Every structure is written in structure tokens, then in C-alpha cells.
Amino acid sequence: MGSEGFIDLHDGQVWTETIIEASRDAGLLEDEFDDPSRWLTIVGQGSAASYRTMQRFIATVDDHDAVGRLTDAIDGKGAFRRFYTQLERYPELLTRWHRFNNDTRLGQ
């Protein structure tokens, strides 16, 4: 499951879980986020959705060497960093990845 945050409908400011916790810890936050006329709840998809996006992208790659490297890269902790590092070896795939990832995020 992803993290939860809020958008302040009065000023457009985004309050992530991390910002909320830090603000509360510092005694800077008194607001509660239960007024639907002010706060819009947003829920992140978490890393599982991003991981599936990387898997789907790899399935579109024809270069067997790149497929092997990318598949190895997404195995275990640090997968996102390793995946991107491997993509940097293949500039044309890096460009395709950015397009693919953006389209996925936009639901296309």
C-alpha cells in the first residue's frame, strides 16, 4: 500500500506523510485533515506499481543483452536505482523508458 497525503484546497499546498510527521514532531502542525471542504486525500500507489511498470517495460525491449541486465537490476533492494543505472547504458531505451513511464502514470 502507498502512503497517504493531502492537498490543501485553499492554497494548493501538498502535505505528504513525511511533511506531516515532521511538522507534528516540531510542534508546527495543529491542523487535522478531516475537513473535506479544505483537504483532498491522496493515496500513493507505493513501490509495487512502479516495479510492475519496470517489468512491463522490460517486456517491450528486443535487445536480449539489455533485457538480461534490466531483469537482473530489478531483483532485490535498490531495484529502482539499479534499473536506471542500467538504462543509462542504452540511451535509446532511456528515452523510451521516460515516455513509457510517463504514459503509464497518465493512464495511457
Side-chain angles (χ1 to χ4, degrees), residues 23-91:
S23 297
R24 283 195 174 131
D25 290 347
L28 302 173
L29 183 65
E30 297 175 14
D31 280 338
E32 292 300 321
F33 298 90
D34 54 2
D35 178 358
S37 68
R38 178 161 184 199
W39 300 104
L40 176 65
T41 304
I42 50 175
V43 179
Q45 295 180 349
S47 61
S50 296
Y51 186 83
R52 285 190 301 275
T53 301
M54 290 188 298
Q55 289 177 312
R56 285 195 314 273
F57 176 76
I58 292 169
T60 71
V61 175
D62 293 328
D63 180 326
H64 295 291
D65 177 57
V67 168
R69 288 177 183 273
L70 293 171
T71 300
D72 290 345
I74 65 170
D75 185 29
K77 189 173 181 164
F80 299 101
R81 178 187 47 78
R82 287 192 312 273
F83 178 78
Y84 197 82
T85 297
Q86 289 304 317
L87 278 175
E88 289 177 329
R89 302 170 128 239
Y90 307 93

Side-chain angles (χ1 to χ4, degrees), residues 13-29:
Q13 186 172 0
V14 176
W15 289 79
T16 64
E17 211 169 69
T18 304
I19 293 170
I20 292 167
E21 288 176 20
S23 297
R24 283 195 174 131
D25 290 347
L28 302 173
L29 183 65

Side-chain angles (χ1 to χ4, degrees), residues 90-108:
Y90 307 93
E92 71 287 350
L93 288 181
L94 183 59
T95 301
R96 275 188 49 212
W97 162 250
H98 285 297
R99 247 185 249 124
F100 185 90
N101 191 36
N102 289 336
D103 288 351
T104 299
R105 289 176 184 212
L106 294 172
Q108 298 177 354

